[in-house]
Amino acid sequence: MLRNQTKILYGGDYNPDQWPQDVWREDMRLFKLAGIDIATINVFSWALNQPDEQTYRFEWLDDVMDMLRDNGVRVCLGTGTAAHPAWMARRYPDVLTVDSQGRKRKFGRRHNSCPNSPSFREFSRRMASGLAERYKDHPALLLWHVNNEYGWRCYCDNCERAFREWLKSRYGTLEELNRAWYTSFWGHTFYDWDEIVLPSHLSELMDASNIDKTAFQGISLDYDRFNSDSILACYKLERDAIKAVIPDAVVTTNFQSNGTYKPLDYFKWAKELDVVALDSYPTNDMPMSLIAMRHDLMRGLKGGRPYMLMEQSPSQLNWKDVNPLKRPGVMRLWSYQAVARGAESIMFFQLRRSAGAFEKFHGAVIDHAGHEHTRVFRECAELGRELERLGDRLLGAKTAAKVAIVFDWDNWWAIEHSSGPTERLKYLEQIQKYYDAFYERNVQVDMIGTESELGGYELVVAPVLYMAKRGYAARLEAYVAAGGTFVTTFFSGIVDENDRVTLGGYPGELRKLLGIWVEETDALFPGQTNAMEMHGGGASGLEGTYSCGLLCDLLHPEGAETEAAFGGDFYRGMPALTRNRFGGGEAWYIASDPEEAFLAAFFARLAERKGIRPIAELPAGVEASVREKDGFRYTFLLNHRAEPVPVDLGGESRLELLSGSRMSGAATLPAHGVFILQSPADETEERSGFAEWAATT
Ligand code: GLA
Ligand code: ZN
């Protein structure tokens, strides 16, 4: 919740600099009709604002700020540094990046500056500072939007020099670096810092079409960290320039790729943001659970704090091969999906559709027709009215989950740099698969990082915890000893934070906690499977056989009980699922990549044993999420299906916030419809009638 926020903010990217002033006046009329109260401006206006090194021209921006103030629209002010001006590229070529093939880029596109360019850093710092001076007292100013969708890779000489400095501060000595990177392999011992070069396609990268495939894991992993840190330093420079002028400024930047952008460690970034901001562009073929997971991740980045939905399209995209319209009701549905998981703004890219260039066919609130009589505008205006009615009811509401899934960028990078045992292992796919098992059952999940507190959770799941960072195994042990339940999978505990194998037997530092020793790992071809044969009568409560594949760990119990065994191949009979009692809790190991039905059944039983209840029992395609505030619980029901579905709301009559009517018993959730049901938070789940755990397995 932002200072003085009284409702869910509604608006988005607005580019009046592309339009004459008479259009601005019309925009203000249309904004009012649509209930728009926030506009993100100046995001790509650097070239306009600064025609040369010395000159700044902000008069147009003054006019826009004043106009927005006069019309009750608050400003999310871009610093505009995401596309450098052409004159800058010409006079200061260090702002231009070098790609992984060693080619120096020319002026063009956007998101195009080298993060270690002294010129870029200085010019962007000055710009942020100048804007802060100019608008520090402007009443329309609500928050700052630094740059835009940060993220690129650069392999220039400045980056190379900066990499060496970054390494010096991480390792101190070359001896330590040589040890951490295991440079005795393939004759890589370094005797001078200046011998170290960036891992590009001219050095360590092995496949022109693949940025992950490296000949040297340690270097490439540190380059990922360094690159994320370098870009973060650019953000911090602008943020600090703003805060030097406005100490209590609210500063953010928008996260891209729906929140799982691989090159930037958003857990580390989130610490530097006053509020997390997400750009969400689901495509029609994306499973809804993937989007839900990313929203939960955005809430998790700052330990459960609300975040902003900074961008979404009111209708179609323009950058896919084929860009379908959002069907009627879908924009509203996806907006509430964000609110259901912690978003406190609904913002679009863009408010008025450009007349030219790359994004002229991107969805917008105001279309090329230029008036309000369009389907998309009507849908936007209806949502605007609903958000006005909702007021501050949901602001600051919390989501309480008993299940946490661990998500970690270092682990993601390291797994996908790994050469062997399989190229087919994709971290995000694994996370998604585990998340799905809970999503499908409407069990609320928190997405957490490796620094997050574990104590409040009944169940912590860390899929493919390949990298056990310093101290993490001990924290997991303490969590389980105190009664927690921990689940991890094949290919875990293999390396330390430098991607060096923990010797003495896998899963390394997790071995004691899991009570197993993994001797070998088999890799399976696409379509090739093994089976997990349940022993029956075990703590998992499962019987029968499930299919598995991808990787199979050949393991020996060292105190753990075997709950399932492999059904095929020469390791038939070896454990495929183990459970280790450890202190007051238990630690499970899933030794292969099981079919989804296994995960659904396994976690259903585990949740039942731990008293973790679903939010509601609902037909497939209906999503549920809960937020709580001031003694009330708000249950969101979201119908992702294109037809109405019957839902059972139980005996208690409850207020449905969007319609204002009271509801109970059998009800129909319209196609793409949404209910937000209010109930007292202390109402027992039995009484609410919402939660009947369906332990169908
Ligand atoms: C991103 C950018 C916007 C715009 C949209 C289009 O999110 O931040 O400037 O280009 O994509 O989908
Ligand atoms: Zn560079």
Side-chain angles (χ1 to χ4, degrees):
M1 192 160 55
L2 302 181
R3 223 178 359 234
N4 304 327
Q5 191 178 342
T6 53
K7 62 177 276 293
I8 293 170
L9 296 164
Y10 193 51
D13 277 46
Y14 177 45
N15 301 309
D17 35 332
Q18 295 176 15
W19 300 93
Q21 296 224 359
D22 53 326
V23 175
W24 301 6
R25 280 188 291 277
E26 180 63 358
D27 289 334
M28 294 307 102
R29 184 183 74 83
L30 293 168
F31 284 10
K32 233 168 239 138
L33 283 180
I36 282 166
D37 56 12
I38 184 166
T40 305
I41 56 172
N42 199 44
V43 178
F44 292 103
S45 315
W46 201 350
L48 183 63
N49 291 336
Q50 193 179 358
D52 61 45
E53 222 162 296
Q54 278 85 35
T55 319
Y56 291 88
R57 301 187 301 213
F58 293 120
E59 292 72 19
W60 76 275
L61 195 53
D62 297 344
D63 291 347
V64 171
M65 296 280 291
D66 292 350
M67 172 182 73
L68 291 170
R69 174 203 57 208
D70 294 345
N71 287 278
V73 180
R74 303 167 93 182
V75 169
C76 173
L77 185 56
T79 59
T81 54
H84 53 236
W87 63 259
M88 196 182 288
R90 180 150 158 253
R91 289 209 54 183
Y92 298 92
D94 63 291
V95 304
L96 297 165
T97 58
V98 169
D99 72 13
S100 68
Q101 316 272 353
R103 294 172 303 197
K104 176 91 174 161
R105 291 192 58 87
K106 297 194 175 193
F107 175 73
R109 306 216 302 218
R110 62 170 176 175
H111 305 151
N112 50 3
S113 306
C114 163
N116 289 296
S117 151
S119 310
F120 171 69
R121 287 198 176 189
E122 180 52 18
F123 281 125
S124 57
R125 190 197 60 74
R126 269 193 235 163
M127 175 55 79
S129 174
L131 286 165
E133 282 295 349
R134 192 160 187 108
Y135 298 111
K136 58 177 191 275
D137 297 320
H138 202 288
L141 179 61
L142 180 65
L143 80 158
W144 290 82
H145 180 294
V146 172
N147 203 283
N148 188 69
E149 292 200 339
Y150 272 112
W152 51 81
R153 288 186 170 95
C154 182
Y155 297 86
C156 76
D157 291 345
N158 280 326
C159 284
E160 196 154 84
R161 278 189 286 273
F163 186 44
R164 292 177 192 138
E165 294 309 312
W166 186 93
L167 292 170
K168 275 182 205 164
S169 71
R170 182 174 170 89
Y171 295 109
T173 65
L174 273 175
E175 290 67 39
E176 184 51 24
L177 174 139
N178 280 315
R179 192 202 60 79
W181 283 0
Y182 204 70
T183 54
S184 48
F185 183 78
W186 282 359
H188 270 54
T189 306
F190 296 109
Y191 295 99
D192 191 315
W193 294 98
D194 290 345
E195 292 161 7
I196 299 169
V197 298
L198 293 173
S200 72
H201 281 105
L202 303 180
S203 56
E204 303 293 358
L205 300 184
M206 303 176 86
D207 174 347
S209 61
N210 183 346
I211 206 94
D212 285 327
K213 208 165 169 60
T214 175
F216 232 98
Q217 279 64 27
I219 301 176
S220 286
L221 176 60
D222 275 343
Y223 174 73
D224 289 337
R225 291 176 173 140
F226 156 77
N227 188 55
S228 177
D229 285 0
S230 294
I231 302 175
L232 182 55
C234 295
Y235 166 81
K236 283 159 71 176
L237 200 67
E238 289 195 39
R239 180 204 59 191
D240 293 347
I242 294 164
K243 294 211 181 200
V245 180
I246 314 170
D248 62 350
V250 178
V251 185
T252 189
T253 185
N254 48 343
F255 285 168
Q256 64 162 302
S257 297
N258 302 317
T260 48
Y261 180 63
K262 191 174 169 191
L264 302 185
D265 178 349
Y266 283 156
F267 272 107
K268 197 165 181 190
W269 274 67
K271 293 180 188 166
E272 309 295 339
L273 270 50
D274 293 316
V275 58
V276 166
L278 170 70
D279 292 354
S280 184
Y281 291 98
T283 51
N284 297 46
D285 51 355
M286 227 175 244
M288 274 307 115
S289 62
L290 183 56
I291 309 307
M293 185 272 276
R294 286 158 158 168
H295 284 302
D296 285 344
L297 180 61
M298 293 304 102
R299 188 184 71 246
L301 291 178
K302 272 184 159 316
R305 296 248 298 271
Y307 61 95
M308 298 179 76
L309 177 61
M310 185 60 90
E311 288 183 26
Q312 65 169 344
S313 176
S315 183
Q316 69 200 132
L317 307 175
N318 71 296
W319 41 264
K320 296 285 290 179
D321 291 348
V322 176
N323 299 283
L325 300 173
K326 269 187 194 168
R327 272 38 203 167
V330 170
M331 180 279 290
R332 173 178 182 267
L333 172 69
W334 292 0
S335 300
Y336 284 118
Q337 184 188 29
V339 175
R341 295 184 180 278
E344 298 198 340
S345 73
I346 299 298
M347 294 164 71
F348 299 110
F349 183 90
Q350 47 194 337
L351 296 185
R352 181 182 276 275
R353 193 179 246 199
S354 310
F358 186 70
E359 288 174 336
K360 61 181 172 300
F361 298 124
H362 194 287
V365 176
I366 306 166
D367 219 319
H368 287 154
H371 53 62
E372 64 270 40
H373 308 292
T374 64
R375 173 184 74 94
V376 171
F377 189 93
R378 274 193 297 274
E379 287 193 34
C380 291
E382 268 161 39
L383 180 57
R385 277 191 290 276
E386 279 183 356
L387 296 179
E388 259 154 36
R389 279 203 301 276
L390 274 177
D392 66 354
R393 208 133 187 175
L394 297 162
L395 296 184
K398 297 268 181 258
T399 294
K402 292 181 174 172
V403 179
I405 294 181
V406 179
F407 190 95
D408 180 35
W409 263 263
D410 289 296
N411 196 35
W412 187 1
W413 293 330
I415 286 172
E416 295 181 8
H417 281 313
S418 169
S419 179
T422 180
E423 291 271 309
R424 297 175 56 223
L425 173 58
K426 299 291 175 223
Y427 184 61
L428 206 50
E429 277 174 25
Q430 290 296 319
I431 295 288
Q432 176 57 19
K433 212 170 156 175
Y434 281 77
Y435 182 88
D436 244 18
F438 297 98
Y439 177 90
E440 290 299 327
R441 298 273 160 176
N442 304 307
V443 173
Q444 197 91 49
V445 169
D446 278 349
M447 300 297 296
I448 62 170
T450 51
E451 290 180 9
S452 312
E453 283 301 317
L454 303 170
Y457 298 106
E458 289 290 334
L459 172 59
V460 172
V461 185
V464 219
L465 192 62
Y466 167 73
M467 176 184 288
K469 293 188 211 171
R470 196 170 306 138
Y472 199 49
R475 287 186 48 215
L476 290 170
E477 281 178 9
Y479 161 73
V480 176
T485 299
F486 176 64
V487 178
T488 189
T489 72
F490 65 94
F491 207 47
S492 288
I494 310 285
V495 298
D496 67 10
E497 58 202 31
N498 297 312
D499 200 54
R500 281 189 57 135
V501 170
T502 303
L503 298 177
Y506 315 129
E509 293 189 2
L510 301 175
R511 195 165 157 189
K512 195 166 107 211
L513 173 61
L514 293 162
I516 56 168
W517 166 43
V518 174
E519 185 181 343
E520 297 182 84
T521 299
D522 194 16
L524 278 61
F525 288 103
Q528 190 189 352
T529 56
N530 203 315
M532 293 170 66
E533 291 180 345
M534 307 307 305
H535 283 185
S540 79
L542 303 186
E543 316 233 327
T545 299
Y546 294 91
S547 162
C548 62
L550 190 69
L551 291 174
C552 297
D553 281 339
L554 280 55
L555 70 86
H556 310 278
E558 294 178 333
E561 298 145 31
T562 300
E563 294 262 341
F566 284 113
D569 220 313
F570 75 93
Y571 41 94
R572 176 161 190 230
M574 288 183 84
L577 174 69
T578 60
R579 168 184 178 248
N580 194 38
R581 273 180 267 212
F582 188 90
E586 58 188 36
W588 291 81
Y589 192 75
I590 304 174
S592 182
D593 179 36
E595 62 173 302
E596 275 136 31
F598 169 82
L599 294 179
F602 174 70
F603 285 115
R605 293 293 180 148
L606 208 52
E608 192 180 30
R609 276 184 46 221
K610 302 289 154 193
I612 302 165
R613 326 258 341 237
I615 298 160
E617 193 193 333
L618 294 164
V622 180
E623 175 180 329
S625 182
V626 170
R627 295 183 70 181
E628 283 179 33
K629 180 186 170 185
D630 296 343
F632 285 108
R633 161 197 294 254
Y634 297 97
T635 305
F636 289 70
L637 303 184
L638 306 146
N639 181 11
H640 290 291
R641 286 162 51 177
E643 72 262 343
V645 289
V647 287
D648 182 2
L649 302 181
E652 268 342 276
S653 141
R654 277 181 206 77
L655 179 66
E656 196 284 299
L657 296 190
L658 298 175
S659 61
S661 57
R662 298 197 70 85
M663 305 186 78
S664 64
T668 301
L669 194 50
H672 296 141
V674 180
F675 289 161
I676 308 176
L677 296 154
Q678 176 185 281
S679 51
D682 58 2
E683 180 187 52
T684 64
E685 283 157 312
E686 284 73 18
R687 250 189 70 215
S688 82
F690 262 145
E692 275 318 309
W693 181 256
T696 49
T697 52

